[in-house]
Amino acid sequence: MKPKNFETSPQFYARIAGLLYLVIIVTGLFAEIFVRSKLIVYEDAAATANNIMNSDLLWRIGISADLIMQICDLPVMIILYYLLRPVNKKLALLNLSFNLIQTAVLAANKLNLLAALFFLGDSDYLKSFNPDQLHALSYLSIKLHGYGFGVGLIFFGFVCLIEGYLIYKSQYLPKVLGILMAIAGLCYLINSFLSILAPQLSNFALLFPCIIAELGLTLWLIFKGVNLTKWREKLAIA
């Protein structure tokens, strides 16, 4: 039987957050692995431009998938604030603030991917540039997107660190999830700062622990949620 006031239960919100988080992970991986990694040829502007022009719709689908990810991020961050505020309201609010900045940066950063497409169009105002110049400008926009993505993930790294601490201290979510999220935060921060300070050392493999941590949290929220007794105890003394 459905419990009374189920719609306002933290368990209900936890499952909604988990499902939306799963959408975030799937759309993010799709855009990165099945779109950009297939169309972008490293350090080859002409080949990248030709791939994008030949797969215009796929490029646009990738951008749309990224925007869906950012849209879903908004309710998730509000729900996580609601779920984690009994542990420490000020830290939960700080976490929400970092998350808002991260989402704003990543959403605005999609303009670079649109610019990469616009430079490869057939508008009259582009005819003052030769094809090689347009290919270079398009590739530069893609490079800017990569750095913009890294900047956004700096803020998300702090989100993961704070969430990791709050989860670890919560008593109504597994401590191991808190540890994994904290490790994910460190990985995001290290990789993003390396991309700025020493690009040759930045590696996508550094983000593998992040996928494990976030997927683990996602599945736990969907299938387990929070320990309601402990959550209410924390809320009562918050």
Side-chain angles (χ1 to χ4, degrees), residues 31-112:
E32 190 63 38
I33 296 173
F34 295 101
V35 178
R36 286 190 285 275
S37 67
K38 291 186 177 297
L39 299 181
I40 298 171
V41 181
Y42 183 68
E43 296 300 333
D44 192 332
T48 299
N50 287 327
N51 287 342
I52 294 173
M53 287 187 289
N54 292 329
S55 302
D56 175 276
L57 179 59
L58 180 61
W59 188 258
R60 293 177 184 273
I61 290 173
I63 296 172
S64 299
D66 277 333
L67 291 174
I68 290 171
M69 176 174 65
Q70 265 82 72
I71 291 168
C72 290
D73 206 20
L74 291 171
V76 169
M77 67 177 76
I78 296 297
I79 293 173
L80 287 176
Y81 167 75
Y82 170 72
L83 293 176
L84 295 174
R85 68 178 180 175
V87 183
N88 187 313
K89 188 175 180 179
K90 291 181 180 178
L91 277 180
L93 186 59
L94 179 63
N95 182 66
L96 176 62
S97 301
F98 273 120
N99 221 338
L100 283 170
I101 296 173
Q102 174 254 166
T103 299
V105 170
L106 294 185
N109 193 39
K110 298 306 117 184
L111 293 175
N112 283 314

Side-chain angles (χ1 to χ4, degrees), residues 22 29 35 61-62 68 76 88 92 100 114 123 163-164 173 175 190 194 197 205 234:
L22 186 59
L29 290 177
V35 178
I61 290 173
I68 290 171
V76 169
N88 187 313
L100 283 170
L114 286 171
S123 300
E163 280 182 9
L173 288 167
K175 289 183 181 293
I190 291 170
L194 280 177
L197 299 171
K234 284 281 187 180

Side-chain angles (χ1 to χ4, degrees), residues 136-164:
L137 288 170
S138 178
Y139 192 79
L140 178 60
S141 296
I142 294 170
K143 293 278 285 185
L144 285 173
H145 173 266
Y147 279 97
F149 191 67
V151 170
L153 291 184
I154 289 174
F155 293 95
F156 190 62
F158 285 106
V159 168
C160 292
L161 284 174
I162 297 170
E163 280 182 9

Side-chain angles (χ1 to χ4, degrees), residues 10-11 14-15 83 172-173 220-221 224-229 231:
Q11 212 69 309
R15 287 182 168 83
L83 293 176
Y172 49 80
L173 288 167
W220 187 271
L221 290 173
K224 291 291 187 178
V226 300
N227 183 318
L228 286 175
T229 302
W231 187 86

